[in-house]
Amino acid sequence: MKKIVAHQRDGKLVKGFAAFEGCQEDIFVICRNGKKVSLELSGLKAVFFVRDFNGNAERQEFKFSKSQSVGNYVWVAVEMFDGEILEGRVENNVDFVLDDGFFLYPTDEFSNNEKVLVAKAAVKGFSVLAAS
């Protein structure tokens, strides 16, 4: 089970634990109060896999750097429907193209987010910063 914070498109947050790795249509979450909920990917902005539920709103995350290797990833900037811009790496494979969402791995290794499941329906803009 991974710690997650699910950001719904209506602005509500769901904090809890989920056990999945792939992009799924329905995400089952055990909330911190023990309640089980099912979230549809189409109703989400993104699911953040976090180190800590509270995070640090004051922290400025490190963004794209030419000094870091890309490997089998594409470095991207993703603009969400609400104006938030996420930056990181996505796997360079067909799943990224075909699925309703994709995993983004943050640029900043010290970010509270370990990875983010981005719902494509919530994406307003997408830019490739570098590829290998």
Side-chain angles (χ1 to χ4, degrees):
M1 299 286 269
K2 300 281 187 179
K3 265 186 211 177
I4 62 103
V5 177
H7 288 242
Q8 297 182 52
R9 290 186 63 137
D10 62 7
K12 294 179 184 171
L13 299 179
V14 176
K15 296 180 181 184
F17 301 87
F20 70 94
E21 290 298 321
C23 183
Q24 304 167 190
E25 197 59 36
D26 292 316
I27 297 158
F28 298 97
V29 179
I30 299 173
C31 297
R32 295 190 304 172
N33 63 6
K35 180 181 176 184
K36 295 179 184 178
V37 297
S38 175
L39 303 173
E40 291 184 18
L41 185 59
S42 61
L44 296 174
K45 172 183 169 183
V47 177
F48 294 81
F49 293 76
V50 299
R51 299 176 202 283
D52 182 279
F53 285 121
N54 296 323
N56 180 355
E58 302 296 316
R59 187 170 189 289
Q60 293 289 327
E61 288 195 4
F62 172 78
K63 298 294 184 178
F64 180 72
S65 171
K66 293 180 183 177
S67 65
Q68 295 189 5
S69 64
V70 176
N72 293 327
Y73 293 90
V74 177
W75 288 75
V76 299
V78 180
E79 182 179 1
M80 305 305 291
F81 74 96
D82 60 1
E84 180 179 10
I85 296 177
L86 304 175
E87 188 176 302
R89 301 168 295 144
V90 296
E91 290 185 37
N92 191 10
N93 63 35
V94 71
D95 294 337
F96 167 69
V97 176
L98 299 177
D99 289 345
D100 291 332
F102 58 90
F103 286 107
L104 180 130
Y105 299 88
T107 307
D108 186 346
E109 66 182 281
F110 300 108
S111 167
N112 188 48
N113 300 318
E114 294 176 330
K115 66 181 173 182
V116 180
L117 172 60
V118 177
K120 283 185 182 174
V123 173
K124 179 179 175 184
F126 185 92
S127 301
V128 174
L129 301 176
S132 62

